[in-house]
Amino acid sequence: MAALIRSGHHRRFAPQGCGGQAFDSEAARNRAMAENLRQVGRGDLSIGRLYEGHVNAMLLFDWYGTSEQHRWLTHALDSGAWFGVWATEKAPGVRLTQVGNASLSGEKMFASGAGGLDYALVTAASTDHARRLVIVSASDKARADLSGWRVRGMRASVSGRYSLEGVAVEPLMLLGEPGDYDLDPRFTAGAWRFCATQLGGIEALVLEIQRSMCDSARADPVQRARFADAVVAMRTAGLWVAKSAESFAADHENAVTMARLTRRVVENAGFTVMEAAARILGTQSAFDGQRTDKIIRDLSLYLRQGGPDHAHDEAAKTLLDHDIWSGGERLW
């Protein structure tokens, strides 16, 4: 993550007034974002998950932040601060109380970077309004509980629980208006970003297969076919991620459905490439300490993000109504 700061990735997608890069268009910004998310995911999926959360936070500041909040963000980024976005919780969830001085109650779960990031944008509900975003400190290790994060993959994302009980909330720390975070298409269609990160992991695994194939496997037509199938799956996922990013940038009417379908395409590509690694490399793909094994463990968990079957079913309902393809190529 220190390397990402040095390379400029840390600030690239922040609001321009906070030092973010100026792009010619939203399409150009999203293409650059897709490329960077893939690159970071290719290096390490846990870091990719943390970076994708930071990028998400920068976009939320850009869309909903006030000039005063942008000045605050500039100082935070100057000091190398990393941000996350935490929304997952168990009932009754995190609540914002307005009796006297405002404060929070409850906790977040699957909070990536809990106790290690500097700040997080958390969703909080109140009795009178839709949930809204609150900027909180994320670095208090006493509030983080990582004991339950006992998983095969993505260990380094430290996605534990984080207590927000009694956290005081100053007016400056309220980002946007109630309901802003859940607005579509930004909320659901934004899933293309974690798909791009996952794609980076898939690309890394294909590279490892190609590098590790022994001479006998390269001479075997069955194994060569498996490798070709893995490459096709990877490239197909790349095309869908690019199309989804394009739809998001254009605020296309079907951007949400495109993102939901992209999730399934990327998921299937991941399964295809992981199976190819196991069949082509054999036991070599499962040895502890091998990069292939680490990528497979991380990818198999990361692909479980956020109800993929429900997302695909919602996309199917839309497809039964109309073809979502743009550019005058619709078939029904």
Side-chain angles (χ1 to χ4, degrees), residues 308-325:
D309 290 335
H310 172 73
H312 194 60
D313 182 52
E314 290 299 307
K317 292 176 185 177
T318 302
L319 289 176
L320 285 170
D321 178 70
H322 65 274
D323 185 2
I324 66 167
W325 219 251

Side-chain angles (χ1 to χ4, degrees), residues 199 202 232-242 262 265-267 269-270:
L199 173 61
I202 293 169
V232 169
M234 174 193 71
R235 292 299 185 189
T236 300
L239 293 172
W240 276 82
V241 167
T262 298
V265 173
V266 171
E267 180 186 35

Side-chain angles (χ1 to χ4, degrees), residues 1 50 82-86 111-120 137-140:
M1 293 177 78
L50 295 173
W82 283 97
F83 287 75
V85 180
W86 299 342
S112 295
L117 296 178
D118 297 281
Y119 299 98
S137 170
S139 60
D140 188 345

Side-chain angles (χ1 to χ4, degrees), residues 10-33:
H10 170 253
R11 205 168 200 138
R12 189 177 189 190
F13 303 108
Q16 287 185 41
C18 303
Q21 182 174 335
F23 293 95
D24 293 337
S25 64
E26 275 300 300
R29 178 162 78 155
N30 281 264
R31 282 194 299 271
M33 199 177 296

Side-chain angles (χ1 to χ4, degrees), residues 198-207 234 237 266 269-270 273 295 299 303:
Q198 293 167 346
L199 173 61
I202 293 169
E203 291 170 341
L205 188 53
V206 169
L207 287 168
M234 174 193 71
V266 171
V273 175
I295 297 171
L299 189 59
L303 289 173

